[in-house]
Amino acid sequence: MRKILLSATAVLLSVTCAHADFQAPPGSSYTSGRKLGRAISNILYGVVEIPEQIVRKSNQYGANAGYSYGVVDGTSRAFTRIGYGFYELFTFRCPTFHGTFKQPYMKCGQDNRIEMNVSGGLSEFPPELGFESYFNHSRSQGY
C-alpha cells in the first residue's frame, strides 16, 4: 500500500510540475502577408528616411550636420529601404531569410523600431513623422 501511495504521489507531483510550451514559435508572426506589407511600406514611405535623418542629425550634431550629413545619410537609407522593398515585393511568397519571412536587414537600437543605428541599421518599418504614430508610449493628460 505504501508503494502505491508513494508512486501515486510521485506521479501527481510530476504531472502538476510539468508544463508544456503552448506558445507559438518566434517566427510565427512573420508571414508572407507581413512581408508583403513591409515591402509596400518600404517602397512608399522609404523616402521618409531623408527628413527623419535630417532631424536626427540636427538634434545630435547640430543644424549644419543635419542639412549635410543628414541629407546624405537619409538618401542612402532611403535607397537601401526602397531596394529592400522591391526585393521583398518580388520574393514575398518565399521564406528567404534563414528559412523565415523575417526582414533581411539587421534591427538595431533599444526597441528595434524607433532608435536606429546610425551606421546602417534599419528598423522593420519606415519611421513615422508627426501625428501618424500608432505607438502609445507617450503620456497624455486626462481630465
Side-chain angles (χ1 to χ4, degrees):
M1 181 69 175
R2 186 173 178 184
K3 283 184 179 179
I4 295 173
L5 187 60
L6 284 175
S7 329
T9 305
V11 168
L12 184 64
L13 286 176
S14 67
V15 169
T16 57
C17 294
H19 297 284
D21 186 14
F22 291 116
Q23 299 178 10
S28 67
S29 63
Y30 294 97
T31 61
S32 62
R34 182 171 176 155
K35 187 175 180 181
L36 177 62
R38 189 171 57 232
I40 292 171
S41 68
N42 280 336
I43 291 169
L44 294 178
Y45 302 115
V47 294
V48 173
E49 286 285 352
I50 298 171
E52 177 72 18
Q53 292 307 314
I54 290 172
V55 170
R56 285 181 185 269
K57 301 304 186 260
S58 294
N59 290 340
Q60 192 171 8
Y61 302 114
N64 290 336
Y67 286 104
S68 58
Y69 174 51
V71 170
V72 172
D73 190 41
T75 304
S76 170
R77 285 172 167 270
F79 280 125
T80 302
R81 191 175 287 283
I82 291 169
Y84 275 123
F86 280 112
Y87 168 73
E88 288 187 331
L89 180 68
F90 294 126
T91 63
F92 79 96
R93 297 295 287 167
C94 307
T96 53
F97 184 71
H98 299 294
T100 66
F101 290 103
K102 286 183 138 185
Q103 64 272 15
Y105 41 90
M106 297 301 295
K107 296 189 291 184
C108 301
Q110 295 174 356
D111 65 345
N112 297 328
R113 291 177 303 210
I114 302 297
E115 296 296 325
M116 290 175 278
N117 185 357
V118 296
S119 301
L122 295 172
S123 63
E124 182 175 1
F125 292 101
E128 296 180 348
L129 297 176
F131 62 92
E132 298 177 355
S133 179
Y134 57 87
F135 300 115
N136 55 0
H137 60 272
S138 61
R139 291 190 228 168
S140 62
Q141 181 83 24
Y143 295 102

